């Protein structure tokens, strides 16, 4: 019910019938990432029990899932689409073995690379540039990291230094004022170093 309400609000905001909180996102989360995370998490709910439901409940469930897919597509979220693909594959397979898991992973990785290559290319190139600069920061201080909020305090000067050395680099087109590398794992490694990152993984 909550996901249906969220989807309806998002669609009405998208078509202009409801005013958006900001021009970059739809839904009630304040940003598209929150909305997409919620919708992807709610997508599998109810599908497993669908065979035992009454027809009216089944139709409501189908309606809810169609709305979820529509909103994720409206948000143009590549990660959201990948999550839906993964959920659909896992829900369609009754038993998992090592071979099936490998096939699923290969398919998801291939789909991710294809989406990064052929959709929203400017965004992909910008994220790749941020990743490259972040890895350089990790390499400079691999053990201790840059400290609390180290990325936020040091990334912009790192980026400025890069552009001073490479003024004609195409990455200039994608540069922005950043306080987060758009990746939770990378920011842990930058701020607290590789040992802390490994501890987190464990």
């Amino acid at each position: 019910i909550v996901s249906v309400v969220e989807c309806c609000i998002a669609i009405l905001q998208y078509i202009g019938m409801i005013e958006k909180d900001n021009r970059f996102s739809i839904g009630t989360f304040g940003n598209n990432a929150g909305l997409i995370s919620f919708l992807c998490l709610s997508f599998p709910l109810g599908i497993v029990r669908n065979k035992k439901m009454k027809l009216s409940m089944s139709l409501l469930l189908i309606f809810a899932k169609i709305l979820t897919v529509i909103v994720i597509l409206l948000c143009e979220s590549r990660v959201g689409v990948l999550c839906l693909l993964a959920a659909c594959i896992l829900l369609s397979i009754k038993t998992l073995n090592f071979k099936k898991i490998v096939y699923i992973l290969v398919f998801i990785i291939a789909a991710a690379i294809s989406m990064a290559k052929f959709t929203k290319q400017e965004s992909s190139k910008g994220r790749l540039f941020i990743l490259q600069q972040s890895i350089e920061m990790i390499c400079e201080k691999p053990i201790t990291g840059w400290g609390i909020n180290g990325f936020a305090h040091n990334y912009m000067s790192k980026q400025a230094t890069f552009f001073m050395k490479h003024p004609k680099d195409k990455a200039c087109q994608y540069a922005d004022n950043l306080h987060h590398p758009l990746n939770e794992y990378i920011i842990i490694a930058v701020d607290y170093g590789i040992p802390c990152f490994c501890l987190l993984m464990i």
Side-chain angles (χ1 to χ4, degrees):
I1 291 169
V2 176
S3 66
V4 169
V5 171
E6 280 292 339
C7 288
C8 290
I9 291 169
I11 290 168
L12 290 172
Q13 286 178 333
Y14 186 83
I15 62 177
M17 291 183 70
I18 296 178
E19 189 176 347
K20 293 192 284 187
D21 291 334
N22 67 71
R23 63 193 183 94
F24 298 109
S25 65
I26 54 177
T28 63
F29 283 82
N31 61 66
N32 283 347
L35 175 65
I36 291 156
S37 299
F38 169 73
L39 293 179
C40 288
L41 286 168
S42 69
F43 184 78
L45 300 179
I47 294 176
V48 178
R49 291 187 173 187
N50 193 26
K51 293 178 182 176
K52 300 178 183 178
M53 288 185 175
K54 296 177 182 177
L55 180 62
S56 58
M57 287 298 289
S58 295
L59 291 173
L60 180 61
L61 193 66
I62 291 165
F63 174 70
K65 303 312 170 187
I66 289 170
L67 276 182
T68 298
V69 173
I70 288 170
V71 170
I72 288 173
L73 291 174
L74 289 178
C75 291
E76 298 180 9
S77 170
R78 293 167 295 185
V79 173
V81 171
L82 286 174
C83 288
L84 290 185
L85 282 173
C88 289
I89 292 167
L90 291 170
L91 289 166
S92 65
I93 296 172
K94 292 182 180 178
T95 56
L96 276 175
N97 56 43
F98 181 73
K99 190 182 282 188
K100 285 181 180 177
I101 291 169
V102 170
Y103 287 148
I104 291 167
L105 286 173
V106 169
F107 173 77
I108 295 297
I109 290 167
I113 292 169
S114 300
M115 288 177 130
K117 185 75 177 171
F118 301 111
T119 63
K120 296 168 74 175
Q121 292 181 4
E122 289 187 3
S123 172
S124 297
K125 289 175 182 175
R127 285 170 183 262
L128 184 61
F129 173 74
I130 295 163
L131 180 63
Q132 289 169 340
Q133 296 303 304
S134 300
I135 289 170
E136 284 190 20
M137 289 179 75
I138 294 167
C139 291
E140 285 178 27
K141 294 187 178 182
I143 306 301
T144 60
W146 292 77
I148 296 170
N149 295 323
F151 182 92
H153 292 148
N154 297 284
Y155 176 80
M156 292 309 297
S157 60
K158 177 79 177 168
Q159 182 177 268
T161 303
F162 176 85
F163 289 134
M164 284 173 65
K165 292 178 180 177
H166 308 91
K168 295 182 180 179
D169 196 288
K170 289 183 179 179
C172 290
Q173 301 169 31
Y174 319 118
D176 201 356
N177 188 15
L178 283 179
H179 301 288
H180 194 285
L182 311 177
N183 186 308
E184 297 302 326
Y185 300 104
I186 291 293
I187 199 167
I188 293 292
V190 171
D191 287 357
Y192 304 109
I194 291 172
C196 189
F197 172 82
C198 293
L199 184 63
L200 177 69
M201 291 298 99
I202 292 166

